[in-house]
Amino acid sequence: MNTGTNGREHWATRTGFILAASGSAIGLGNIWRFPYMTGEHGGAAFIVIYLIAVCLIGYPLLVNETIIGRVSQRNPVGAFKTLAPGSPWWLVGALGVFTGFVILSYYAVVAGWSLAYIFKVITVSQGAGIDNAEVFSRHISNIWQPIGWQALFMILTIAVISAGVVKGIQRCVTILMPIFFVLLVLLILRAVTLPGAGEGIAYYLKPDFSEVTGRTLLGAVSQAFFSLSLGMGVFITYGSYLHEKDEIPKSSGAIVGLDTVVALLAGFAIFPAVFALGFEPGAGPGLVFITLPAVFAQMPFGTFFGLLFFFLLSIAALTSALSLLEVVTAWLIDERGWHRKKASVVMGVTIFLVGLPASLGYSVFNCFSLPFFEIDLLDTYDLLANSILLPLGGLLTAIFVGYVWGTEKAIKEASKGSTGFTIGKWWAVLIRYVVPIIIAAIMVTGILDSLGR
Ligand code: PFF
């Protein structure tokens, strides 16, 4: 086993960390959420705001969390306990563990839909005149099928996590991430070479600043948090498996860059195909599960490309789910002394149970969707996690390093192992002032905006 002097398991190679971390970052958020958020929020205008959010908030926070993890060599709760003993700051770590729990519970539901569609796309693509909205709604309003796929997804996640950091996570991402990139390139090439693809590219990239409101800004910031897996201790946990010789500023740059490029590219795999085959871009989550199967049904070799697409989406979801379960598992191993196998199985099963209402929200609990009082349980989990819990976690972690533990110590830690590029005073300014002010302002505006609707 690859253990350090402290007996903790460590990544076997530098690329192991980069692949695992970008596997966490690249997920449903890039392929399912980013394109429809962009489509709904003013195209390129949203992209510009998103890129600003990534530079001003995403990168600094990712470095911040990774530093906390590496210096403490502990899970999020233990990390705060180590750096600020006897203080209540460990609650920020606990908030992160709780958030991971909530996100994975509904993430596995959507990932289950994706697994199901690897097979469904074959049947859907073959039948002429099939109403895809109907197929999707029939799938999610069925009680057992989505639950079965959600369970299978959780079993896969638990199997990898129970095998450990190197033998489980690192081995899995080393196989899956290269496959992911090849599939993505294939799908983009297919989409942009369809006749009429240019219109989709124009739709995707045309800036419309009139769509930009307080909610758009909140949308961009919460998307950055979600997409980069920030604000809940993933990077504290993954950073705790780093050696002192590993370069944090450069590796973090690679992770942020990869995640952003994949989000942008996902739009190029989707919109050109949607327009080329004469479909509406279709707002909202239905884009991937309703519009795309219809697009594949009409495309030459569409069944094959459809299958590749949902396979790609499932890989992306799995490598992200690994990090979510790892945070919770690492907490039980470090703080409660549980065995890895027991921790991952007990938590995986509990998270599956907590996710059931989100899945059943479209069948058994559909009664909540009354005409005046519509609650989509899955959306509610999503909103709670992305618009409140993640930004709050990021804000508190920035305040902790900026004002309690100290940015000098953080910069010193980050410079260990760094050759060439490292962080300096500019990073401290971002963490102490820019990050907290932007997050606080956007959370307040977003909440007021939603209340005033
Ligand atoms: N970053 C993942 C995505 O874009 O789908 C989702 C995610 C994973 C969010 C891990 C938060 C997290 F801690």
Side-chain angles (χ1 to χ4, degrees):
M1 197 191 290
N2 204 310
T3 46
T5 44
N6 53 8
R8 194 176 188 75
E9 216 184 334
H10 286 84
W11 304 110
T13 57
R14 184 174 109 99
T15 28
F17 168 66
I18 295 182
L19 285 178
S22 37
S24 165
I26 298 170
L28 297 172
N30 302 61
I31 295 159
W32 170 66
R33 210 163 176 276
F34 184 81
Y36 82 72
M37 291 285 285
T38 306
E40 270 178 6
H41 287 283
F46 181 79
I47 295 182
V48 171
I49 297 170
Y50 179 73
L51 291 179
I52 297 174
V54 164
C55 295
L56 290 184
I57 300 177
Y59 177 77
L61 277 181
L62 200 145
V63 171
N64 195 39
E65 282 194 23
T66 313
I67 291 172
I68 297 180
R70 191 184 53 194
V71 74
S72 66
Q73 296 283 301
R74 301 279 286 278
N75 70 95
V77 173
F80 282 98
K81 281 190 180 161
T82 310
L83 301 185
S87 77
W89 278 100
W90 63 270
L91 287 167
V92 178
L95 176 75
V97 174
F98 173 72
T99 310
F101 197 94
V102 174
I103 296 184
L104 185 52
S105 71
Y106 77 85
Y107 202 79
V109 174
V110 182
W113 298 346
S114 176
L115 278 181
Y117 263 74
I118 297 180
F119 303 94
K120 226 171 248 298
V121 81
I122 301 175
T123 37
V124 173
S125 305
Q126 279 167 353
I130 286 184
D131 178 350
N132 285 287
E134 175 69 28
V135 172
F136 180 59
S137 124
R138 237 187 298 131
H139 176 70
I140 62 173
S141 60
N142 179 305
I143 299 179
W144 295 108
Q145 266 201 35
I147 292 184
W149 290 107
Q150 178 193 355
L152 175 65
F153 181 81
M154 283 308 297
I155 290 171
L156 291 173
T157 310
I158 294 170
V160 177
I161 291 304
S162 65
V165 176
V166 176
K167 290 216 176 92
I169 305 176
Q170 178 157 350
R171 193 196 284 173
C172 178
V173 295
T174 308
I175 299 170
L176 293 183
M177 291 312 283
I179 299 180
F180 174 88
F181 287 112
V182 171
L183 292 183
L184 183 64
V185 171
L186 279 178
L187 284 160
I188 293 171
L189 288 178
R190 171 67 283 187
V192 299
T193 51
L194 288 166
E199 216 187 308
I201 298 176
Y203 166 84
Y204 182 44
L205 297 181
K206 185 179 66 67
D208 182 357
F209 280 93
S210 68
E211 293 281 334
V212 176
T213 61
R215 240 179 295 144
T216 318
L217 299 182
L218 178 70
V221 173
S222 60
Q223 174 64 23
F225 268 96
F226 187 74
S227 190
L228 289 168
S229 309
L230 294 173
M232 55 143 291
V234 162
F235 284 92
I236 299 185
T237 310
Y238 276 13
S240 76
Y241 306 132
L242 280 174
H243 295 281
E244 281 214 336
K245 62 179 188 326
D246 292 315
E247 303 194 59
I248 294 179
K250 260 197 215 162
S251 302
S252 306
I255 296 157
V256 170
L258 279 172
D259 183 67
T260 309
V261 167
V262 170
L264 293 172
L265 287 181
F268 284 104
I270 294 175
F271 291 114
V274 168
F275 277 82
L277 295 163
F279 287 90
E280 282 296 307
L287 179 65
V288 162
F289 293 103
I290 298 173
T291 314
L292 282 188
V295 170
F296 291 126
Q298 302 209 356
M299 191 189 266
F301 304 106
T303 310
F304 173 68
F305 283 102
L307 198 142
L308 291 192
F309 177 81
F310 286 104
F311 191 54
L312 166 108
L313 194 62
S314 304
I315 292 181
L318 180 65
T319 55
S320 296
L322 297 181
S323 67
L324 290 160
L325 187 58
E326 179 61 21
V327 169
V328 185
T329 303
W331 163 63
L332 282 173
I333 296 174
D334 291 353
E335 303 303 305
R336 300 261 174 262
W338 284 30
H339 200 271
R340 174 171 282 276
K341 285 217 164 43
K342 176 179 164 196
S344 55
V345 172
V346 170
M347 278 298 128
V349 172
T350 316
I351 288 171
F352 166 73
L353 296 175
V354 172
L356 286 180
S359 180
L360 297 174
Y362 300 99
S363 50
V364 180
F365 298 142
N366 208 6
C367 50
F368 286 123
S369 301
L370 302 172
F372 316 102
F373 187 64
E374 203 170 296
I375 298 181
D376 180 321
L377 284 173
L378 196 135
D379 271 359
T380 312
Y381 280 43
D382 187 60
L383 191 79
L384 172 73
N386 298 324
S387 300
I388 301 172
L389 297 176
L390 294 182
L392 188 64
L395 175 69
L396 293 172
T397 314
I399 293 178
F400 175 75
V401 171
Y403 298 94
V404 180
W405 187 54
T407 47
E408 297 80 40
K409 283 191 213 143
I411 293 175
K412 199 161 143 232
E413 175 64 27
S415 65
K416 283 185 193 154
S418 291
T419 50
F421 178 68
T422 187
I423 54 168
K425 282 246 151 35
W426 55 271
W427 178 82
V429 172
L430 290 174
I431 285 294
R432 284 171 65 94
Y433 307 106
V434 180
V435 169
I437 291 172
I438 297 185
I439 300 180
I442 279 178
M443 280 180 79
V444 171
T445 336
I447 291 166
L448 290 180
D449 200 46
S450 314
L451 291 177
R453 260 203 284 177

